[in-house]
Amino acid sequence: MQPSSSEPDQRIPVHVLTGFLGSGKTTFLTHLLGEPDLADTAVVINEFGEVGLDHLLVREVSEDAVLLSSGCLCCAVRDDLVSTLVDLLAMAQRGDAVRFRQVVVETTGLADPAPIMHAVMSDLRLRRGYRAGRIVTAVDAVSGLDSIGRFAEASQQVALADTILITKSDIVEPWQLDAVRLGISRINARVSPLVSSKNAMPRAQDIFEERESWEPGYTQMSNTLPVGQHSDGIETFTVEVASEVDWPSFVEWMELLLVSRGRSILRVKGLLSVAGDPRPLVVHGVQHVVYPPEYLPAWPDGERKGWLVFIARNLSKSAIMRSLPSTFASTHRS
């Protein structure tokens, strides 16, 4: 696993829209499909019948793909997601379908979004044309808090999210909405949820816009939460890597860590200072898979300091620290 160059990544981002049963993600997707902001987007859904597309259809592109009035190319998953994405890209390259600049994959209510990111990160056919985008999770303001507490699938969807959308906010009391926000923050304090109602839904560009915050401090748990209190054993913590890293040694450590504890590591992301190169190296992994590393052109705020953010289940920061070679990390932040 070698770092890539600093050239801009021209591959197509694959975003995941997920949410537990009854979260309202299908209603929200139907709304998004009518927006011009989603033009030049390929939308992959499980069943056309689950989304009201009739008023949005313009023409059939292939047996399983249609062109929407907004300009989106919409298709259904056939044998598997990988073949669907490969075929979509081939159609666009041949001129059999409109070219698209991003993909939105809508999952079922019980889906784990991690395998989708696994596929995009690890499948060679996909990596040539696609890259991992954002995970967007819808949480129902009415029953979402109960779902998060009772079902591991719901809490995992929240834990992995880059964007969280609280739906049905117009049919709950303000104190209920605050309770949902607090429940979300216990699992994923990195993300400030967007709020959606029947008459006021966020725009597509606000949901799927790729934006990076290269500051590890955003992972800190809210001061309103009891120390160590997390849902379903999920914790978020940052390990500072103050010294330069020997890249082959780091790769060996990371591979051993993921082999032994990959099921517990929901996500890891960070910046590293690699010996022999002044640029920051981006590390990004989901469970057992590490995305090919890439360089940023410069260090945020000009400070050359590495760190790794972990989102983990039943795996403590102290266990990670004990596994690190002493030359990799000198301090850590809880």
Side-chain angles (χ1 to χ4, degrees):
M1 183 171 61
Q2 295 297 322
S4 66
S5 70
S6 58
E7 293 297 319
D9 195 340
Q10 300 298 324
R11 292 172 299 170
I12 297 169
V14 178
H15 308 298
V16 178
L17 175 60
T18 190
F20 200 65
L21 301 168
S23 64
K25 67 181 182 300
T26 301
T27 299
F28 186 66
L29 177 62
T30 305
H31 163 75
L32 291 181
L33 290 178
E35 280 197 18
D37 285 343
L38 223 63
D40 302 326
T41 298
V43 181
V44 179
I45 58 179
N46 291 324
E47 294 290 343
F48 280 129
E50 293 183 359
V51 182
L53 296 179
D54 291 346
H55 64 294
L56 299 172
L57 302 186
V58 174
R59 64 182 176 89
E60 185 175 310
V61 177
S62 70
E63 181 181 353
D64 294 300
V66 293
L67 186 66
L68 306 184
S69 58
S70 63
C72 309
L73 183 68
C74 193
C75 73
V77 174
R78 294 182 301 278
D79 297 332
D80 59 54
L81 178 65
V82 172
S83 63
T84 298
L85 291 175
V86 169
D87 291 347
L88 271 177
L89 190 59
M91 288 169 57
Q93 291 173 339
R94 291 195 308 265
D96 294 337
V98 294
R99 287 189 173 271
F100 49 92
R101 59 179 174 82
Q102 63 182 354
V103 176
V104 176
V105 178
E106 185 233 4
T107 74
T108 63
L110 294 174
D112 179 354
I116 297 175
M117 289 306 182
H118 282 181
V120 176
M121 291 178 179
S122 61
D123 190 281
L124 292 178
R125 292 171 295 170
L126 295 185
R127 282 171 49 183
R128 294 189 186 99
Y130 296 105
R131 59 185 173 85
R134 301 182 68 78
I135 296 176
V136 179
T137 298
V139 178
D140 177 5
V142 178
S143 59
L145 193 58
D146 180 65
S147 298
I148 290 171
R150 294 177 56 199
F151 300 100
E153 296 90 346
S155 62
Q156 177 125 332
Q157 290 166 354
V158 171
L160 291 175
D162 299 297
T163 301
I164 297 175
L165 178 70
I166 300 178
T167 61
K168 308 178 187 177
S169 64
D170 51 328
I171 57 176
V172 298
E173 297 295 329
W175 66 267
Q176 292 175 290
L177 191 59
D178 290 341
V180 174
R181 287 195 180 98
L182 182 60
I184 290 171
S185 69
R186 295 183 192 278
I187 301 173
N188 188 340
R190 302 170 301 119
V191 176
S192 296
L194 300 174
V195 177
S196 172
S197 66
K198 184 177 181 179
N199 297 319
M201 294 188 179
R203 297 169 57 194
Q205 67 179 34
D206 296 326
I207 296 293
F208 299 110
E209 180 185 5
E210 293 187 273
R211 48 194 182 275
E212 294 288 357
S213 174
W214 293 108
E215 293 296 328
Y218 71 83
T219 64
Q220 301 310 302
M221 302 302 291
S222 167
N223 291 332
T224 63
L225 299 178
V227 175
Q229 183 172 346
H230 308 283
S231 174
D232 202 31
I234 295 173
E235 291 191 66
T236 302
F237 53 86
T238 300
V239 174
E240 292 185 0
V241 187
S243 60
E244 286 191 340
V245 169
D246 175 71
W247 181 245
S249 298
F250 179 85
V251 170
E252 181 180 4
W253 170 76
M254 179 62 75
E255 289 177 344
L256 288 173
L257 178 66
L258 294 180
V259 166
S260 62
R261 302 302 299 270
R263 288 177 61 87
S264 296
I265 300 173
L266 302 181
R267 204 166 186 181
V268 58
K269 187 174 185 179
L271 299 180
L272 293 176
S273 175
V274 176
D277 199 300
R279 298 167 298 174
L281 185 73
V282 180
V283 176
H284 184 191
V286 177
Q287 293 185 344
H288 293 285
V289 178
V290 177
Y291 197 62
E294 300 174 351
Y295 284 107
L296 291 181
W299 285 87
D301 299 327
E303 184 177 5
R304 183 166 181 158
K305 183 175 66 174
W307 47 266
L308 296 170
V309 173
F310 287 86
I311 306 172
R313 174 182 285 118
N314 300 323
L315 179 64
S316 67
K317 64 183 179 185
S318 60
I320 296 291
M321 293 299 297
R322 287 195 299 270
S323 74
L324 277 171
S326 59
T327 55
F328 281 7
S330 60
T331 59
H332 69 279
R333 181 183 291 123
S334 59

